[in-house]
Amino acid sequence: MSHPNDEDPAELFRSAIGQVTPLRKGSGPTPSAPKPRPRARMAERDEQEALGEFARLLRAGPPLDAGDALSYRRDNLPPRMFQRLKKGQYSVQDELDLHGATATQAEQLLRQFLLEAHDHEHGCVRIIHGKGLQSDGGAPVLKNLVDRHLRLRNDVLAFHSAPTAQGGTGAVLVLLAR
């Protein structure tokens, strides 16, 4: 047997919850203001730290110009191996092109690339950073970033700007420790 009120959903609801006591105005919790949209504070902090690190690296020495060659050799690397690198006589096993990347993106890409090169036991890689002719302020940002970053890495034995046929002063050949 069905009640005549079974069809009215509002009446069903009232009978299910029972008797209620209305709240007085001002009693109980008040609705709070909407919460602010979340911000990527950690990403913003990382970006600022990376820019600070880049600025510190640039202050470590005079910045390179667009036509300058990148060149570095650890003392324990035989000069003959460095000469072969300068001439482009090592087989390039992988390549990273940084064109169009921001300084922060380039640093992340460079770190990841070198980790993967190490994991694959590559001996020689090429990094294309461009000559920096489009850089604001004159100094080629990516070229200087690559130069400073590679000098700080323990797994880099040597690097030198590529021969003209392999990118010239817009690319660098890197000899890695295995």
Side-chain angles (χ1 to χ4, degrees):
M1 180 168 170
S2 67
H3 280 120
N5 294 336
D6 284 349
E7 300 302 317
D8 182 16
E11 188 59 40
L12 281 172
F13 176 75
R14 282 190 286 278
S15 67
I17 62 167
Q19 190 169 357
V20 295
T21 307
L23 291 175
R24 290 189 325 262
K25 196 168 194 157
S27 67
T30 58
S32 61
K35 293 183 179 178
R37 291 187 54 139
R39 276 185 25 228
R41 289 190 308 265
M42 295 302 281
E44 290 170 4
R45 189 192 76 198
D46 290 347
E47 180 82 16
Q48 290 302 318
E49 285 178 8
L51 290 174
E53 176 70 11
F54 178 64
R56 186 187 63 74
L57 287 174
L58 281 181
R59 286 191 304 270
L64 297 164
D65 287 328
D68 291 346
L70 275 66
S71 188
Y72 171 79
R73 176 179 72 90
R74 288 203 185 277
D75 292 336
N76 61 347
L77 184 78
R80 186 170 178 204
M81 289 180 76
F82 188 59
Q83 289 303 318
R84 287 187 63 207
L85 180 69
K86 286 171 71 170
K87 292 177 183 177
Q89 294 177 343
Y90 286 101
S91 174
V92 173
Q93 296 167 298
D94 204 355
E95 178 177 280
L96 172 66
D97 189 344
L98 296 174
H99 278 108
T102 66
T104 303
Q105 292 167 339
E107 187 174 15
Q108 291 170 350
L109 290 168
L110 185 57
R111 286 178 196 271
Q112 186 62 38
F113 175 73
L114 292 172
L115 283 173
E116 290 173 9
H118 182 72
D119 290 346
H120 290 89
E121 297 183 2
H122 292 325
C124 183
V125 296
R126 179 176 28 241
I127 300 166
I128 302 169
H129 47 72
K131 294 185 179 184
L133 299 175
Q134 308 296 321
S135 293
D136 293 334
V141 175
L142 296 182
K143 183 174 188 170
N144 280 283
L145 174 78
V146 169
D147 179 67
R148 302 307 196 265
H149 185 80
L150 291 177
R151 289 174 187 272
L152 298 175
R153 292 192 59 102
N154 291 330
D155 58 345
V156 173
L157 298 174
F159 60 86
H160 196 278
S161 289
T164 305
Q166 295 183 35
T169 58
V172 63
L173 300 177
V174 183
L175 200 57
L176 299 170
R178 293 194 176 182

